[in-house]
Amino acid sequence: MRAFVAALALMALSASALGALSAAPISAADLRVYSGGAPQDTLKLLAPDLERTTGHRAAYTFAVVGDIQQRLQAGEPADVVLLPVSLIDALEKAGKIRPGSRRLLARVGIAVVIRDGAPKPDISTPQALRATLTQARAITHADPQATPGGRHIAALLAQWGITQTPQRKINPRSAISGGAELIASGEVDVGLYLLSEVLTAKGVTVAGLLPAELQNYIVYAGAVLADSASPEAAAAFLAFIADPARQVQWQATGFESIAKSN
């Protein structure tokens, strides 16, 4: 009799354990996240809550967005990518994105940046901004060959006839590659970068955003890579950072809600 009761107890325990296993959440994963530099500060703010809430850990690779796109198209392995929408589109067309995994995140505008302590220029109107840039001894902005924001600024300068001359130096360099340092050192008078890339940079001050007529907001999105080894965990990562409850952290680091563009 005792043996029979013990057997029943063992069977009940086994069934209970099996039920617990079947109801278990997605196993914690180490995710490889590739991102442009714009969301770097945002992700730093979100990282502690991300791991505590989801159990997943993320190893981040930050680089110029065009470089990220090329590396992923060449087959470099990753689980999640965060890039401007236009570059996510290109990766999707190349078959690099898991269908249906895209999440819109937030948008960020282009700011005018000067050295700490320098007089704030007038950038309140297109005419005032043009005068400020025309008078600048040296200008830097994001790489026009690798970033949508850089292309916008290069086209604007060309339209205004603001080119490199013996009296004026134009030195495109992405913020993530040392552009802010050129401004902080005094080597460059004015920089034009995505706000989130320079908001906390040392030695510089944000003079303001481009006038509304000239602004070019960059909308960031995230997606799961088609060859991700942990697609469910990657999707959970994206759901976490795209949750409307996280807009506080996005806005604190220079982004705006996409709803503002509607």
Side-chain angles (χ1 to χ4, degrees), residues 179-193:
E181 285 84 348
L182 292 177
I183 304 165
S185 70
E187 184 177 338
V188 169
D189 301 326
V190 180
L192 300 112
Y193 290 109

Side-chain angles (χ1 to χ4, degrees), residues 6-33:
L8 286 176
L10 182 60
M11 289 173 63
L13 180 61
S14 298
S16 175
L18 183 60
L21 285 172
S22 63
I26 301 168
S27 298
D30 292 313
L31 298 171
R32 299 158 299 178
V33 180

